[in-house]
């Protein structure tokens, strides 16, 4: 059974500092997605990573994928309050297959303090 | 382009009742997936429909069912409601013609079972 693990589950960040959060998964896949969820809201797609070594950047967030290590990282540069939310990674298994489905991690709740 | 629309947004039911939730995907998207989100279990895959056919099913009891219509709209039904069915039910659509497999989520239907 595919396991997707995110750590830490909660991260208190100081404004202006850099942080990295991690997503590990237990089976082969080269498709990984990052989503953001604000309290009481739906999931917003942040990044789609489709190959080993893929790197995507949007604003202060940069996501990368290492399929050999089965690891994705989300790097936060100079944290700001607007980044406070819960971030989920999800893995597509079998990748791109007709019967594929996304398996989500538990999510990491980020809180940015002044 | 309109996003994924889910109705109703909020509903309260009592144990033993049944509920039907509706989802209209993004125009042109023919794949609809359903997820259950709870604080304890996180995001769990329920099922996926494509061209009116169930393509994949998660590990949920038979009380959970769904269907998709010819216009790609989807409904899910939960019969004989239990307290543990209280959750946010999220619908997501995707275009199987696109290579990314990216899911676009609706705002969700928040079900409370009393």
């Amino acid at each position: 059974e595919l396991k997707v693990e995110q750590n830490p589950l909660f991260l208190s960040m100081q404004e202006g500092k850099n942080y990295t959060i991690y997503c590990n998964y237990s089976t082969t896949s080269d498709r990984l997605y990052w989503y953001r969820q604000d309290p009481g809201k739906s999931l917003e797609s942040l990044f789609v990573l489709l190959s080993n070594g893929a790197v995507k950047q949007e604003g202060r967030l940069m996501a990368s994928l290492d399929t050999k290590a089965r690891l994705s990282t989300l790097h936060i540069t100079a944290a700001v309050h607007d980044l406070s939310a819960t971030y989920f990674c999800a893995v597509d298994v079998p990748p791109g297959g007709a019967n594929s489905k996304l398996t989500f991690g538990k999510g990491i709740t980020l809180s940015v303090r002044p | 382009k309109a996003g994924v629309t889910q109705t109703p947004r909020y509903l309260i039911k009592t144990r033993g009742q049944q509920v039907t939730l509706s989802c209209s995907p993004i125009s042109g998207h023919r794949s609809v997936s359903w997820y259950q989100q709870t604080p304890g279990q996180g995001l769990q895959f329920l099922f996926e429909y494509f061209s009116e056919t169930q393509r994949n099913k998660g590990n949920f009891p038979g009380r959970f069912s769904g269907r998709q219509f010819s216009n790609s709209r989807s409904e899910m039904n939960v019969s004989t409601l239990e307290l543990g069915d209280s959750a946010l039910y999220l619908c997501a659509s995707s275009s199987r013609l696109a290579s990314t497999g990216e899911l676009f989520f609706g705002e969700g239907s928040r079900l409370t079972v009393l």
Side-chain angles (χ1 to χ4, degrees):
Chain A
E1 181 191 336
L2 170 63
K3 285 188 170 63
V4 181
E5 294 182 347
Q6 295 186 249
N7 62 81
L9 291 183
F10 180 83
L11 181 60
S12 178
M13 305 189 293
Q14 191 171 351
E15 248 180 9
K17 291 202 169 177
N18 301 336
Y19 296 87
T20 301
I21 60 177
Y22 301 93
C23 172
N24 292 88
Y25 54 99
S26 63
T27 194
T28 303
S29 178
D30 58 4
R31 286 175 168 242
L32 190 137
Y33 307 83
W34 283 95
Y35 287 87
R36 168 182 170 143
Q37 187 176 40
D38 291 291
K41 301 291 187 183
S42 186
L43 295 168
E44 174 192 354
S45 179
L46 290 175
F47 298 109
V48 177
L49 303 169
L50 298 178
S51 61
N52 185 40
V55 177
K56 294 279 183 76
Q57 180 157 11
E58 180 73 34
R60 299 175 187 275
L61 301 178
M62 184 173 72
S64 63
L65 178 62
D66 181 345
T67 59
K68 293 188 171 74
R70 298 178 186 171
L71 171 70
S72 180
T73 59
L74 184 64
H75 186 73
I76 300 147
T77 301
V80 293
H81 180 72
D82 282 353
L83 292 179
S84 297
T86 300
Y87 293 79
F88 293 91
C89 65
V91 176
D92 186 9
V93 175
N99 296 326
S100 64
K101 63 178 185 182
L102 291 194
T103 299
F104 284 82
K106 292 285 191 190
I108 296 175
T109 298
L110 303 184
S111 176
V112 181
R113 64 183 190 279
Chain B
K1 196 172 181 179
V4 178
T5 304
Q6 291 188 246
T7 57
R9 292 289 313 281
Y10 302 92
L11 63 166
I12 299 173
K13 295 284 187 178
T14 56
R15 277 181 298 176
Q17 287 187 311
Q18 74 161 10
V19 66
T20 298
L21 309 177
S22 179
C23 172
S24 293
I26 291 170
S27 178
H29 286 189
R30 292 168 63 192
S31 172
V32 173
S33 303
W34 288 89
Y35 287 79
Q36 181 197 63
Q37 186 177 27
T38 59
Q41 298 299 317
L43 281 152
Q44 293 187 285
F45 172 77
L46 281 158
F47 22 66
E48 184 206 359
Y49 287 87
F50 178 75
S51 292
E52 302 178 66
T53 302
Q54 187 180 87
R55 291 299 180 98
N56 208 346
K57 189 176 189 312
N59 190 24
F60 278 82
R63 300 185 296 107
F64 292 80
S65 63
R67 57 178 175 168
Q68 186 180 34
F69 302 93
S70 58
N71 61 358
S72 296
R73 191 177 70 84
S74 177
E75 287 181 349
M76 67 163 282
N77 183 76
V78 188
S79 62
T80 320
L81 284 165
E82 300 176 1
L83 295 179
D85 297 333
S86 294
L88 180 65
Y89 290 88
L90 291 164
C91 167
S93 76
S94 66
S95 169
R96 279 185 173 265
L97 294 177
S99 60
T100 65
E102 186 177 8
L103 295 186
F104 297 88
F105 285 84
E107 293 289 323
S109 292
R110 185 167 294 279
L111 169 66
T112 301
V113 182
L114 302 176

